[in-house]
Amino acid sequence: MRVLDERGFLFQTTDADGLDKLALSKSLPCYIGFDCTAPSLHVGSLVQIMMLRWAQKTGHKPIVLMGGGTTRIGDPTGRDDMRKELDDTAIAANMEGIKSIFSRFLTFGDGDTDAVMVNNADWLDELNYVEFLQNVGRHFTINRMLTFDSVKMRLEREQPMTFLEFNYMILQAYDFVELSRRFNCQVQLGGSDQWGNIVNGIELGRRMDDASFYGVTSALITKSDGTKMGKTAQGAVWLNDDALPAYDYYQFWRNSTDDDVGRFLRLFTELDMAEIAHLEALDGAEINDAKKILAFEATRLARGVEAAREAERTARETFEQGAMSEGLPTLELATSRLLEGIGVLDLFIEAGLASSRKEVRRLISQGGARIDDQPITDEGHMLLSADLAEGPIKLSSGRKRHVILKMV
């Protein structure tokens, strides 16, 4: 708890003193659940992953709960509409993609502090509905369930909430009971938006098994400008290698604002607190050194040291030496497409350097859209095969985002 507190993870704890005493007396299994709604998690989930990592590093046992069952329903928290329903094939594929992330952050095995990964479909699929209502449903009142934010928000905005979604909080609470019975798990970690669901699980454990459970949440992380962590104008910052190149992942951290550097170093790296204090005290141009360290360390954890070194080298060659680095993201263009030409408005979108034609036009008007470092002045400019006849060229959005174009 001390480590999580000093690094800025803690937001709410159900019984901080009781949990501290328990954690000092033995190795505690603790879990976080992850629904399988996409083939990768993004950096918005990284706080929870790092909490599990620190739990293991301080002598406790992480449990990664895959929501193979609850994904079929979809967590209504923070939403105005029902999540898209996924079939079993899609859920299984997403689960496989997500599993690979955790091998970077946790050590799995059979030891006392080795992490384990479980799937709540293992018990939710076996439930008898009437028996479940009798044994579990009777411990929940509609009166209380209507007070939870996920429900209140829908009602206040006059948005429909299905009975299916209404059951999500009961199933999540039951997960806690099952993990207690199977792994002697007494601690659930999560984001602050899950506080109500966590408290439900604690109360259900007390009522069903006379068990003592604990809940710990972290604040939902936003950047200093108020925007949501894990999202950019170009899309989600995915943790999986095949969903986002390591260079782009590195650049996300390298582009952190000055005000975010110290906080991100505490949350997303394992540097000691004295070094972080030194780095966040830097100002002026020197703060860029802290950002490079943040980018390297965050990328090392998520993608491995070799990927971090390659991303660092690519960034150095591109920005400091002015070279066209081979490590930059690459877009291959068929010669046949270039015979009639490709307009720069469409090209920037296809390259992932902009999300709309309006954004490309804005870049051009501000001098931020470039080909081989030369500003594009005409939004009607067409790229032809002759432009790539002598080799690849570099497409740039501002000074920090680049894509190599190759003709094949």
Side-chain angles (χ1 to χ4, degrees):
M1 291 289 287
R2 179 188 60 80
V3 173
L4 293 179
D5 190 22
E6 71 179 5
R7 299 189 78 93
F9 286 95
L10 296 189
F11 182 67
Q12 298 157 302
T13 308
T14 54
D15 179 4
D17 291 339
L19 182 55
D20 264 338
K21 291 177 182 177
L22 194 62
L24 290 171
S25 67
K26 63 178 182 178
S27 175
L28 287 177
C30 52
Y31 92 95
I32 300 179
F34 299 88
D35 278 346
C36 310
T37 55
S40 174
L41 300 174
H42 59 67
V43 296
S45 299
L46 196 51
V47 169
Q48 282 71 53
I49 296 173
M50 289 298 293
M51 288 175 76
L52 286 178
R53 182 175 174 87
W54 279 111
Q56 186 169 50
K57 287 172 69 70
T58 54
H60 304 288
K61 186 181 186 68
I63 299 173
V64 180
L65 178 64
M66 294 279 93
T70 46
T71 303
R72 296 174 188 166
I73 297 174
D75 187 354
T77 303
R79 297 183 64 89
D80 280 339
D81 56 357
M82 185 175 176
R83 292 181 185 272
K84 179 183 176 182
E85 287 191 38
L86 300 175
D87 60 26
D88 290 347
T89 301
I91 291 173
N94 289 344
M95 191 180 302
E96 285 304 309
I98 292 171
K99 283 180 178 179
S100 64
I101 295 169
F102 290 95
S103 61
R104 297 279 191 192
F105 291 90
L106 301 172
T107 300
F108 289 85
D110 300 322
D112 290 343
T113 63
D114 286 342
V116 295
M117 182 175 288
V118 294
N119 182 353
N120 64 13
D122 291 347
W123 53 84
L124 295 182
D125 285 358
E126 302 301 318
L127 291 176
N128 175 288
Y129 184 60
V130 174
E131 185 179 349
F132 181 74
L133 290 178
Q134 289 177 321
N135 294 336
V136 180
R138 66 189 182 90
H139 296 296
F140 292 82
T141 67
I142 296 297
N143 310 63
R144 188 180 181 199
M145 293 171 75
L146 290 174
T147 67
F148 285 95
D149 288 341
S150 59
V151 179
K152 286 171 59 179
M153 183 181 72
R154 291 280 189 92
L155 297 179
E156 289 171 357
R157 298 181 183 180
E158 298 184 353
Q159 298 293 334
M161 185 176 196
T162 67
F163 181 69
L164 182 69
E165 295 172 283
F166 198 61
N167 278 271
Y168 187 93
M169 65 183 78
I170 301 178
L171 295 179
Q172 182 172 329
Y174 183 68
D175 283 344
F176 207 166
V177 173
E178 276 290 336
L179 290 173
S180 170
R181 293 172 177 175
R182 294 171 183 238
F183 297 97
N184 196 30
C185 179
Q186 293 179 260
V187 184
Q188 182 179 174
L189 310 173
S192 59
D193 60 336
Q194 294 298 314
W195 179 251
N197 290 332
I198 292 173
V199 170
N200 266 341
I202 292 172
E203 179 66 15
L204 184 63
R206 184 187 66 80
R207 288 173 177 268
M208 291 188 71
D209 293 347
D210 195 26
S212 296
F213 292 168
Y214 300 86
V216 178
T217 67
S218 61
L220 298 181
I221 304 300
T222 58
K223 294 184 282 188
S224 60
D225 62 3
T227 57
K228 191 174 182 180
M229 187 71 177
K231 299 286 187 179
T232 69
Q234 289 72 44
V237 182
W238 299 109
L239 297 179
N240 273 9
D241 295 13
D242 56 359
L244 185 74
Y247 172 78
D248 287 339
Y249 189 79
Y250 177 97
Q251 283 301 116
F252 169 77
W253 298 105
R254 174 64 181 84
N255 294 336
S256 298
T257 65
D258 295 358
D259 291 338
D260 284 330
V261 171
R263 184 166 56 113
F264 287 177
L265 283 167
R266 285 188 288 275
L267 291 170
F268 303 117
T269 79
E270 294 176 332
L271 298 177
D272 65 57
M273 296 298 288
E275 184 175 358
I276 292 173
H278 166 72
L279 291 171
E280 69 177 329
L282 299 175
D283 56 15
E286 289 185 327
I287 194 67
N288 288 318
D289 293 332
K291 293 179 182 180
K292 292 174 186 176
I293 292 172
L294 167 64
F296 180 86
E297 292 296 324
T299 305
R300 179 183 65 81
L301 284 173
R303 304 299 180 85
V305 66
E306 291 305 318
R309 287 172 179 165
E310 177 63 20
E312 183 182 52
R313 181 187 67 79
T314 299
R316 183 171 59 250
E317 291 180 357
T318 302
F319 302 118
E320 298 177 13
Q321 300 173 9
M324 186 186 294
S325 175
E326 294 180 358
L328 289 173
T330 300
L331 174 64
E332 295 183 340
L333 300 172
T335 304
S336 57
R337 291 186 62 197
L338 290 164
L339 293 177
E340 296 182 1
I342 303 175
V344 292
L345 297 182
D346 294 326
L347 189 60
F348 267 70
I349 295 171
E350 186 173 347
L353 294 173
S355 58
S356 65
R357 288 187 165 207
K358 180 179 179 180
E359 185 179 350
V360 183
R361 291 190 178 98
R362 179 182 57 78
L363 280 169
I364 293 172
S365 68
Q366 295 175 350
R370 297 170 180 263
I371 295 177
D372 279 347
D373 298 323
Q374 297 301 310
I376 300 170
T377 57
D378 178 13
E379 65 180 45
H381 180 76
M382 303 289 288
L383 195 74
L384 301 167
S385 57
D387 295 315
L388 286 90
E390 296 183 4
I393 63 175
K394 182 173 67 175
L395 200 66
S396 303
S397 172
R399 295 183 178 181
K400 298 181 178 180
R401 302 185 62 237
H402 312 272
V403 171
I404 301 300
L405 304 181
K406 293 182 178 181
M407 183 168 61
V408 295

